[in-house]
Structure formats: C-alpha cells, structure tokens
Amino acid sequence: MPVLELESVHVYYGPIHALRGVSLTVERGEIVTLLGANGAGKTTTLRSISGLIRPARGRIALEGRNIVGLPPHEIVKLGVGHVPEGRRIFPRLSVEENLALGAFTITDRQEIRRRLEEVLQLFPRLAERRRQQGGTLSGGEQQMLAIGRALMMQPRIMLLDEPSMGLAPVLVESIFEVIQRLNQRGTTILLVEQNARMALEVAHRGYVLETGSIVLEGPAAELAHDPKVQAAYLGAR
Ligand code: ATP
C-alpha cells in the first residue's frame, strides 16, 4: 500500500479550478518530486494533503485511510510533516524551542528531549547553535531548522515545498544532501522544487504538473531525459 495516494483531486479557489483531477502515489521509502511552472498547483497539492485546503472532489489516502476533511492538526498526528515554502520558523525563539514546538502533540518531556537530541545529531550546524535565536541563522540553517521541526513528529511522509528557494548555490547543495540523508534513514518524501535538475537527481520518481493536471510521470532518470522536461524545466534547447 502506498504511504500516500491522491485520486482525482479537484481544488477550487472561488472560480479558479486550481487542481483538475490530480492523481499520484508515493511509496514507502521513495523521494517523489512534483515539478511544474509557477502557478501550476504544486503548493495547492501539498496544502490539500495537509488539510489546509479542502478538495471539492477526490480522495487523499494516508496508508489507505482517507484523510480528506480531517483538520490539519489531526493530519500532522497521523504522520504528515509539512515544511512550507518560506520556512516560517519563529525568529525570536531559540533553535531548541523551535524544534520543541514541532513536537506539539507530545506531552512527555523526556520524549521531546530524546527527539530533540536525535534531530540535533542529524544537523550538527543546528546543534552548535541550539541556544541561538532562530532569526539569527542563515537561510540554509533556517531551512534545516524548518525540516528538523517537522521531523520532531517522526512523520510517515514529509512534504517539502521549495526547500532550496532563495538559497545560495552551495547551500542548495547541502539542502539536497540533507534530503538524501533523511531518505536514506527511511523518511519518505514528496518534494516540490523549482530546481528541477537537482530534484530529479535525488528523486526516485517524478510528476509534472501543468495548470492543475499531471501531464507526465515516470522514473526521475527518464523524466530528466524527456525532451519536453528538458525544454520546459531544465533549460535545454
Ligand atoms: P508557485 O511555485 O508559484 O507557488 P504553484 O505551482 O505552487 O506555484 P499554486 O500556488 O498551487 O501553484 O497555485 C495554483 C493556482 O491557484 C494559481 O493559478 C494560483 O494563482 C491560484 N491560487 C493559489 N492560491 C490561491 C488563493 N489563495 N486564492 C486564489 N487563487 C489562488
């Protein structure tokens, strides 16, 4: 059974038909990337999965259970970790406090501690800065903090929305390394990226979204060689 399955999901913003029957699956252990131009509906897809937007029609199943209509905090509890575009960490709280907030449904302080140490082990740069205010971190470190915060819930699947956005090239590399490392540790990932080249390098499979519809799908290596993908997303002529 796939970890995540979308079947003919339709979303409207008033008169705008933003998702027009999107179907996709993410299997356990995969990195799946969702590519598409600005406005194609990538963020809308992730927000529908997290319950931030309610689809008008269609089914979204997490390990076989339909989650459409559940409130976002329930969907987090069921194991969907969402790292939104633009990071949204709490700038005045320390790195540790930001992480602890990620475990908002856990009441056992010992357990929160344990998870915090585990996440800090994954991100040595955050460990060095654990008592620093989040707002003083670099863009790349803030992105790692946002990812670390979502990991505190030990999600079944992580939704990453444009994790490389606004980062210097060297930091883009390190974010993609983090994504691969997480995946090698067993985290299943649905990755939305403008940086199609890097996304197709780390992903197992991919989907291409155009104006609310999936127009192409396949193994990442095949998509990377597809002339249409190359022309539209990889800057080839
Ligand atoms: P981007 O990379 O620019 O975020 P995207 O592929 O994530 O693009 P969405 O943000 O999901 O695209 O937007 C899909 C469509 O829905 C676009 O036409 C957009 O203008 C529209 N849209 C998104 N959010 C809203 C909203 N809150 N109200 C009205 N229309 C919206």
Side-chain angles (χ1 to χ4, degrees):
M1 183 195 304
V3 177
L4 179 72
E5 184 165 28
L6 274 69
E7 260 175 41
S8 307
V9 171
H10 289 262
V11 169
Y12 295 83
Y13 295 107
I16 298 169
H17 194 174
L19 295 189
R20 304 167 179 235
V22 168
S23 299
L24 61 83
T25 60
V26 184
E27 301 288 342
R28 186 179 320 283
E30 277 191 313
I31 300 179
V32 171
T33 186
L34 184 58
L35 304 175
N38 281 345
K42 305 179 299 294
T43 296
T44 301
T45 303
L46 297 191
R47 290 174 63 85
S48 304
I49 298 165
S50 320
L52 297 167
I53 298 173
R54 187 174 181 151
R57 297 197 296 287
R59 181 168 180 273
I60 301 177
L62 185 69
E63 292 176 323
R65 172 178 176 179
N66 191 0
I67 56 172
V68 170
L70 293 182
H73 65 269
E74 288 295 334
I75 294 176
V76 173
K77 274 199 221 168
L78 289 174
V80 176
H82 190 162
V83 182
E85 198 174 325
R87 315 191 251 278
R88 316 240 179 90
I89 57 137
F90 299 98
R92 291 183 183 278
L93 298 185
S94 72
V95 165
E96 286 187 332
E97 288 164 340
N98 268 281
L99 290 175
L101 281 174
F104 68 96
T105 63
I106 315 285
T107 47
D108 180 349
R109 299 186 79 129
Q110 293 260 338
E111 178 61 20
I112 295 177
R113 262 284 124 208
R114 208 184 54 71
R115 293 190 186 191
L116 204 136
E117 294 306 328
E118 209 178 286
V119 169
L120 289 177
Q121 261 187 4
L122 263 174
F123 300 106
R125 307 230 358 132
L126 295 183
E128 287 163 22
R129 292 161 176 71
R130 57 198 295 164
R131 302 200 207 287
Q132 226 167 287
Q133 285 188 347
T136 66
L137 301 181
S138 73
E141 290 160 357
Q142 288 188 20
Q143 185 58 262
M144 288 178 198
L145 182 53
I147 293 172
R149 188 174 54 186
L151 279 174
M152 290 289 287
M153 288 297 286
Q154 301 182 336
R156 318 290 294 166
I157 182 166
M158 291 264 275
L159 314 178
L160 303 181
D161 199 350
E162 304 274 4
S164 79
M165 193 168 65
L167 299 183
V170 48
L171 293 176
V172 171
E173 293 271 348
S174 58
I175 285 294
F176 278 96
E177 273 166 31
V178 161
I179 292 169
Q180 261 183 322
R181 197 143 44 88
L182 286 181
N183 180 248
Q184 282 156 4
R185 285 176 68 249
T187 308
T188 302
I189 294 170
L190 178 58
L191 170 67
V192 162
E193 257 296 333
Q194 288 284 328
N195 191 331
R197 192 177 303 278
M198 294 289 279
L200 289 172
E201 261 175 44
V202 300
H204 300 97
R205 289 189 303 114
Y207 292 86
V208 178
L209 197 57
E210 265 175 29
T211 51
S213 305
I214 303 282
V215 293
L216 264 181
E217 62 177 277
E222 277 176 30
L223 288 181
H225 289 104
D226 185 287
K228 277 179 294 201
V229 172
Q230 291 191 340
Y233 305 106
L234 298 175
R237 269 176 270 175

